[in-house]
Amino acid sequence: MATPQKKPFHLAIIGGGITGVTLAIALQRRNIQCTIYEQSAGFGEIGAGVGLHPNGVRAMEICDPRLVDGFNKIATRNKWPSKDRVWFDFLDGTSTVPAPELKPLFTVDGRGPNEGGGVHRARFLEEMVKLLPGDIAHFNKRLDTIVDDTQGPTGKMLMRFYDGSTAEADAVLGCDGIKSRTREVAVGKDSPQARCKYSHKYAYRGLIPMEDAIEALGAEKAENAQLWMGPDRHVLTFLVNRGATMNLVAFVSDPNEWPNRGSLVQPATKEQALEDFKGFGPNVLNLIDKIKGDFDKWGLFDLADNPVSSFCKGRICLVGDAAHASTPHHGAGAGFCLEDCATLASILDDDSVQSASDLEVAFQSFDANRRERDQWLPQSSRRAANIYEWRSSELGRDYDVIRQDIIDRQAYVWNVDLDKMIAEAREDLAERMTRSREPPTLVPSVPSNVQAVSSPAPRILAHLPPNWHLIYADPSPRSAQIPFPHTTLRSIIIGSPLRSARLLPFTPVTAFHKTKMRWSQLVAAVAALSSSAQAVDPLPFPTSCTGVTATRYQNRVDSGWKMTKLLGGLRQPRTVIWDPLGNMLVLQATRGVSVHTFGADGCVNSSTQIVTNVGLNHGLSLTPDGKTLYASSQTTAWAWDYDAATRKVSNQKVVIRGIGQGIHSTRTMVVVPQAPNIVLVAVGSNNNWDYQSGSPATGRACIKAFDMSKVPAGGYSYNTDGYQMGYGLRNEVGITIDPAGHAWGVENSGDDFRRTVNGQSTDIHIDNPGEELNYLGDPTKPNNNWYGYPTCFTVWGANLIRDAQFKTGDQFVVTPNATFNDASCVGKSVPPRLTLPAHTAPITNAFDKDGANMYVTLHGSWDRQPASGYSVIEIPFTKTAEGLYEPVAKADSQTGFKTIWGAANPGSCQSMGLQQSNCFRLAGLGWDPAGTRLMVTSDNSAEGEIFMLAKK
Ligand SMILES: Cc1cc2nc3c(=O)[nH]c(=O)nc-3n(C[C@H](O)[C@H](O)[C@H](O)COP(=O)(O)OP(=O)(O)OC[C@H]3O[C@@H](n4cnc5c(N)ncnc54)[C@H](O)[C@@H]3O)c2cc1C
């Protein structure tokens, strides 16, 4: 953090709340110039409390250690020494037992004593503002719009304010909170991401003098933090003002719409609050009665339903609530804002950020390193509130399970290693900066004078051009310890730079190895041997691999299978494929593509990164001849020439561009082996409910096919080029091709489902809708069928939908009405060929060699308790008289698959984010060329792992 000179750029911070002020302090400390534009007449916060925890405190320390001093000056913690570790005692708010005698239902401890506390917001802001130079803020500046003129005459970002004034800066940091205008400008004002949605909860907030609180509850309950649980409502209390005041927040679930979108705060009366808490016991009612001063009720809005696709757009970066507004049920919103500030300030301070033109890349790095954690919060927070209010259909009032659930979620909030995250962000920044400054690294392609064949010598001789060598490789090369040990390659023709035409009838490869003679040529020649793929020997099955740590998470292998961990320490391995020489290629999300070779023991003996591209996040496929590699980011698909012998790529080009963005960011790519010019590309919906995607023209919730022999200059446009391979497919992350050349997809279906009939709404989400195995047909011909999304979904748990007689595999609509009901799905929507359990999240599928079984990774649920998935399943298939393939089980079966490997106790798996979980998150899967080893990846961000499975 030593920036001796000012960086040659100036940043505008829109908004002077906790985020804007902290960020300004952190930037000032790093000698980075900035100006705050605040709409109010001065810095100001409301007179309520805010709790900050170890993560927030560490973030403050990174921003500027003086912030922690200011915080500690006013932070208030539980008063009783016996409670100094307690986050909240959870109490039954409906109880009529007087508070002093009331026993907690359970207690959740914080991380440790003195690692956080509650502060009065206004006092805290006052302490922070003391650290700012007086001239840093401009008040009464309400941002109206931003114009990007960085390529124009000024070279700046231009801001206009409602008072008619303007200002310019090199970049704009939107810290303007929940109703962020900067967000509107960045995502477009008509985008659903522009505005927060009502979470159907509101809160009364108030302060109570401590002597009144003690009178109502007794000293123990008043002087230490409490969470009063109850049906559809909950109340929490903690100390502020050095214990002189109790901060109370009383939350109410509200089926109605918020009355005034223009204002999140409505005046309220104590009577209304008391009315709302009818049914609660006298402890809570007495406390509400004691609130002094203004009485407001706050509508709780968030971005949970419409998370922004990116925290940045060009030179605009969203920070704090502007980026990820959340309901407050983890008491963590401000803490996450502070984490943002620490990360962004550290990124901008990095030596690699040298000029204004580097800011865009710096913001992308901020987005890549913060978004997953930040967007977890609004999701988890909503869920936490429902748990506190006994609204969770799975957890109900089982306090052991509730307590564990809360502990796990809070641990995710508090136990973050922020220093490590920031170090990783800087690493990521370095990679991005390198990439942005250099053209993509390309390696030399196969020399033009190299060819290879695997046919017998006499034929080779007949075709031998002048000045070429014929070399036989050792037919049992494993003993020779060379890097392509499992090929049965017998004969290669290598062009001779020695310009001699010498025939070598048999030259063991060892000889070449020993002398290093023509080694590169020999290896290069192997690349061309795609036709030898079928001749690849099985890999040995190692029982362990030297240097590879034990499997990170407990797991259970079916008795007919065995498993060994092959690799660890990878970055989110998502997809695994093979080249014809038996090298394994892995797409590591946010890093690129690596290639791995195998030693004689079946363990990986070398790993090389061949593509560096932090945008790559899932899609990876190779033509059967091993010569063309495809990979995708959220918006773009690329192709490279690939050389299996040298394991290098060259000639990178964009083949598909302009893919839309949304919460589902993976773009699965699959080359059709029987028609290798055809590549299928899947795009998911941009939200849980993406209503527009019912039209295939949106290019969402669909699969399209592209002929790669005819790619136009600059690449195909995803939305307007190619042909349809099915639409109404919510998120078909897994696609594979059966031995007959037909495509099969596995689909992730929706979350948080309720069935509403005649105004009566029932939570059906725990077992509905089912995930889907869809038959997509012959990919060489268009498939214009609709598969139901976002209207027709598939039943897994028929028992939960009590208003109609369903069986597994039937399709239903969530709110049937006169114009479209369940029956309307029949004939219009193609149902799945087999249904899989709800929320298991199938994300990769692959057939074994003869098409007898399909294998599917189930990434695992987040929207279900007990959790499900976290496994690999085997779905038996059969070949029909027509030579086609289909699952053995009938479409209404719930038993058409079996688990061959999975988490030891999947029900207890918790996933706080896509890649964050206390279990492995199985992602990619693929059979080796010999068809005897099944490789499976886990993309858990704690450790990316690859496992080898084989039948015993
Ligand atoms: C009831 C409740 C309880 C909470 N409790 C906790 C808690 O205990 N712990 C915790 O960590 N978090 C808590 N939070 C969350 C926390 O309050 C927020 O995450 C945090 O305050 C957000 O800070 P911010 O600076 O990003 O946004 P804000 O505090 O909203 O600040 C935004 C600033 O931008 C200004 N602004 C807005 N629009 C414009 C414009 N167009 N031009 C110029 N200026 C503009 C505003 O005037 C304001 O000053 C709670 C939230 C609520 C609602």
Side-chain angles (χ1 to χ4, degrees):
M1 204 221 335
T3 311
Q5 288 166 333
K6 285 188 177 172
K7 295 224 177 188
F9 46 78
H10 190 114
L11 308 174
I13 295 179
I14 307 297
I18 288 177
T19 306
V21 170
T22 309
L23 190 54
I25 293 168
L27 294 176
Q28 289 284 308
R29 188 173 174 82
R30 288 159 176 80
N31 229 343
I32 298 171
Q33 307 162 80
C34 60
T35 302
I36 298 176
Y37 298 93
E38 164 60 43
Q39 66 180 359
S40 310
F43 290 119
E45 259 284 4
I46 56 161
V50 63
L52 288 170
H53 298 284
N55 58 313
V57 177
R58 177 65 194 132
M60 275 191 269
E61 201 176 1
I62 294 171
C63 290
D64 186 331
R66 294 173 302 165
L67 281 165
V68 184
D69 300 338
F71 172 78
N72 280 335
K73 244 182 16 198
I74 57 169
T76 310
R77 304 175 177 103
N78 283 342
K79 195 157 183 187
W80 290 29
S82 59
K83 298 280 181 186
D84 70 355
R85 294 192 72 91
V86 171
W87 179 52
F88 281 115
D89 277 325
F90 285 71
L91 302 161
D92 180 352
T94 64
S95 174
T96 52
V97 176
E101 288 128 54
L102 185 63
K103 294 262 171 301
L105 299 166
F106 59 91
T107 295
V108 173
D109 285 343
R111 209 182 63 169
N114 306 325
E115 286 191 298
V119 287
H120 189 278
R121 282 172 181 262
R123 292 278 337 272
F124 183 42
L125 199 64
E126 266 168 45
E127 289 296 327
M128 297 168 96
V129 167
K130 285 181 196 163
L131 302 177
L132 283 176
D135 58 351
I136 199 171
H138 295 216
F139 295 107
N140 297 311
K141 294 290 170 200
R142 182 168 167 220
L143 179 77
D144 178 13
T145 196
I146 305 170
V147 174
D148 184 342
D149 193 39
T150 49
Q151 303 304 316
T154 62
K156 300 281 181 190
M157 300 296 285
L158 308 178
M159 291 156 285
R160 195 176 63 228
F161 299 95
Y162 274 88
D163 64 359
S165 61
T166 56
E168 60 179 47
D170 290 301
V172 180
L173 308 176
C175 304
D176 44 351
I178 197 153
K179 294 206 291 188
S180 170
R181 177 80 183 123
T182 321
R183 186 192 323 121
E184 258 181 46
V185 175
V187 303
K189 78 173 174 23
D190 296 328
S191 163
Q193 299 168 6
R195 274 166 295 281
C196 291
K197 266 179 75 178
Y198 185 40
S199 69
H200 289 279
K201 288 204 190 320
Y202 57 79
Y204 298 100
R205 301 168 84 165
L207 298 173
I208 303 168
M210 187 46 67
E211 55 280 10
D212 293 356
I214 292 174
E215 192 182 307
L217 300 179
E220 184 200 343
K221 301 285 185 305
E223 293 179 337
N224 302 297
Q226 317 292 337
L227 194 151
W228 301 82
M229 305 176 89
D232 301 324
R233 290 146 296 171
H234 73 281
V235 175
L236 53 90
T237 62
F238 57 87
L239 277 62
V240 291
N241 277 348
R242 288 275 175 226
T245 311
M246 171 190 271
N247 180 66
L248 175 144
V249 196
F251 297 91
V252 180
S253 287
D254 175 19
N256 305 311
E257 290 306 319
W258 184 249
N260 177 3
R261 280 205 62 96
S263 169
L264 306 188
V265 189
Q266 298 278 309
T269 61
K270 205 180 279 185
E271 288 65 40
Q272 280 172 350
L274 289 169
E275 178 68 22
D276 270 346
F277 276 84
K278 252 192 184 156
F280 270 59
N283 298 320
V284 169
L285 298 177
N286 284 344
L287 208 52
I288 294 175
D289 198 36
K290 299 242 180 261
I291 297 178
K292 288 274 184 292
D294 294 344
F295 218 90
D296 286 331
K297 98 179 184 188
W298 292 64
L300 300 178
F301 284 67
D302 66 14
L303 283 169
D305 287 338
N306 297 305
V308 295
S309 322
S310 172
F311 285 178
C312 57
K313 184 176 180 204
R315 297 251 198 112
I316 300 178
C317 185
L318 303 174
V319 195
D321 271 18
H324 47 79
S326 173
T327 53
H329 310 297
H330 283 305
F336 275 46
C337 295
L338 298 174
E339 288 184 24
D340 281 359
C341 296
T343 310
L344 184 56
S346 305
I347 286 176
L348 293 173
D349 184 41
D350 195 273
D351 287 345
S352 65
V353 182
Q354 293 162 3
S355 67
S357 59
D358 293 334
L359 290 169
E360 196 166 330
V361 176
F363 294 161
Q364 284 163 7
S365 184
F366 172 72
D367 170 66
N369 286 280
R370 286 300 307 167
R371 187 148 48 87
E372 185 184 348
R373 176 165 165 85
D374 282 337
Q375 290 185 339
W376 168 86
L377 184 65
Q379 303 286 348
S380 183
S381 174
R382 279 195 182 191
R383 189 175 167 78
N386 285 335
I387 292 169
Y388 306 153
E389 297 179 359
W390 304 336
R391 290 166 65 88
S392 160
S393 51
E394 310 97 74
L395 273 55
R397 294 178 64 170
D398 181 338
Y399 296 120
D400 287 341
V401 185
I402 287 180
R403 178 173 171 274
Q404 194 52 51
D405 191 287
I406 296 171
I407 287 173
D408 289 342
R409 284 167 198 279
Q410 289 305 137
Y412 179 67
V413 172
W414 295 331
N415 295 346
V416 63
D417 185 343
L418 198 53
D419 298 85
K420 182 163 166 245
M421 278 184 85
I422 291 174
E424 281 171 3
R426 285 187 125 133
E427 239 178 69
D428 169 78
L429 176 71
E431 277 176 23
R432 284 171 195 270
M433 283 298 177
T434 310
R435 225 165 45 87
S436 74
R437 287 179 182 140
E438 286 171 6
T441 42
L442 301 179
V443 293
S445 55
V446 180
S448 57
N449 61 344
V450 171
Q451 276 187 9
V453 292
S454 58
S455 42
R459 252 186 68 200
I460 299 168
L461 283 172
H463 293 94
L464 198 64
N467 296 340
W468 287 67
H469 284 249
L470 171 61
I471 299 167
Y472 284 86
D474 186 341
S476 58
R478 189 165 298 127
S479 57
Q481 303 268 308
I482 61 164
F484 48 99
H486 44 279
T487 174
T488 54
L489 174 67
R490 302 288 162 100
S491 51
I492 312 170
I493 302 173
I494 297 181
S496 170
L498 303 175
R499 271 182 268 124
S500 64
R502 203 152 60 91
L503 184 64
L504 305 179
F506 179 78
T507 307
V509 167
T510 41
F512 287 86
H513 189 53
K514 225 182 265 166
T515 60
K516 300 214 173 4
M517 187 184 150
R518 304 288 142 240
W519 177 248
S520 61
Q521 291 169 326
L522 178 58
V523 173
V526 177
L529 255 189
S530 57
S531 59
S532 71
Q534 65 277 14
V536 169
D537 284 345
L539 274 170
F541 188 90
T543 47
S544 68
C545 289
T546 311
V548 177
T549 53
T551 53
R552 193 170 181 107
Y553 302 99
Q554 291 196 331
N555 58 85
R556 186 177 302 139
V557 192
D558 178 78
S559 57
W561 289 75
K562 52 189 176 176
M563 182 278 297
T564 293
K565 178 170 166 180
L566 273 191
L567 282 172
L570 302 180
R571 169 97 63 93
Q572 296 170 23
R574 290 285 295 192
T575 303
V576 54
I577 58 170
W578 297 83
D579 72 21
L581 299 184
N583 304 309
M584 181 173 75
L585 288 90
V586 178
L587 186 134
Q588 298 184 48
T590 73
R591 177 166 281 167
V593 181
S594 53
V595 60
H596 308 263
T597 60
F598 291 82
D601 56 357
C603 293
V604 169
N605 66 356
S606 85
S607 298
T608 319
Q609 181 143 343
I610 56 166
V611 178
T612 300
N613 180 339
V614 291
L616 299 186
N617 64 356
H618 183 86
L620 183 71
S621 196
L622 187 65
T623 49
D625 64 4
K627 289 185 176 170
T628 309
L629 182 70
Y630 298 97
S632 61
S633 72
Q634 181 165 195
T635 56
T636 309
W638 290 271
W640 294 262
D641 294 341
Y642 175 69
D643 176 344
T646 58
R647 303 184 298 279
K648 288 185 174 164
V649 290
S650 58
N651 193 21
Q652 170 180 290
K653 54 179 184 279
V654 171
V655 289
I656 301 170
R657 65 192 151 76
I659 308 175
Q661 304 195 33
I663 58 165
H664 296 126
S665 60
T666 58
R667 277 70 181 104
T668 302
M669 297 187 81
V670 171
V671 173
V672 178
Q674 295 81 349
N677 287 340
I678 303 298
V679 174
L680 306 183
V681 182
V683 175
S685 61
N686 72 359
N687 211 328
N688 194 19
W689 297 96
D690 180 355
Y691 296 105
Q692 286 93 34
S693 70
S695 156
T698 56
R700 297 197 300 269
C702 67
I703 301 173
K704 293 189 86 172
F706 297 88
D707 182 346
M708 292 299 171
S709 66
K710 298 177 183 157
V711 181
Y716 285 116
S717 153
Y718 186 83
N719 286 16
T720 52
D721 296 328
Y723 57 86
Q724 213 69 53
M725 270 309 293
Y727 72 106
L729 297 157
R730 182 178 176 277
N731 197 19
E732 212 79 357
V733 192
I735 305 173
T736 193
I737 310 294
D738 68 24
H742 288 210
W744 293 83
V746 283
E747 176 164 340
N748 279 232
S749 197
D751 303 310
D752 278 336
F753 267 43
R754 300 181 74 81
R755 164 95 161 172
T756 306
V757 177
N758 299 326
Q760 195 71 23
S761 177
T762 317
D763 184 347
I764 58 165
H765 90 277
I766 189 162
D767 281 331
N768 291 295
E771 314 283 41
E772 302 185 357
L773 170 60
N774 289 309
Y775 171 66
L776 302 166
D778 176 355
T780 61
K781 303 183 186 103
N783 168 358
N784 292 314
N785 289 324
W786 177 59
Y787 286 72
Y789 181 80
T791 311
C792 298
F793 294 89
T794 305
V795 174
W796 174 260
N799 58 326
L800 293 177
I801 310 178
R802 297 211 188 88
D803 61 277
Q805 287 285 318
F806 281 121
K807 55 186 188 331
T808 297
D810 288 342
Q811 293 209 300
F812 70 100
V813 296
V814 285
T815 310
N817 59 35
T819 45
F820 205 104
N821 55 34
D822 306 321
S824 317
C825 294
V826 179
K828 287 198 176 72
S829 155
V830 181
R833 178 54 188 81
L834 195 68
T835 308
L836 302 175
H839 308 300
T840 49
I843 65 169
T844 304
N845 54 343
F847 282 98
D848 52 15
K849 230 173 169 186
D850 53 5
N853 296 288
M854 177 192 281
Y855 294 85
V856 183
T857 49
L858 302 179
H859 203 220
S861 63
W862 62 268
D863 190 26
R864 188 180 198 283
Q865 289 294 335
S868 59
Y870 301 93
S871 57
V872 176
I873 57 168
E874 176 185 77
I875 305 174
F877 266 64
T878 180
K879 194 170 176 182
T880 66
E882 296 78 40
L884 298 178
Y885 290 78
E886 64 166 352
V888 171
K890 293 211 166 63
D892 61 359
S893 173
Q894 286 202 337
T895 56
F897 61 90
K898 84 168 193 180
T899 300
I900 59 160
W901 180 52
N905 182 8
S908 68
C909 293
Q910 295 271 345
S911 285
M912 305 82 183
L914 258 189
Q915 272 90 31
Q916 287 147 341
S917 175
N918 62 349
C919 294
F920 54 29
R921 301 222 82 188
L922 301 179
L925 153 150
W927 285 95
D928 72 330
T932 58
R933 308 286 179 249
L934 180 63
M935 303 294 168
V936 183
T937 75
S938 161
D939 69 345
N940 190 320
S941 57
E943 186 184 359
E945 301 177 280
I946 298 188
F947 309 90
M948 180 192 274
L949 278 90
K951 284 187 175 161
K952 278 184 183 164

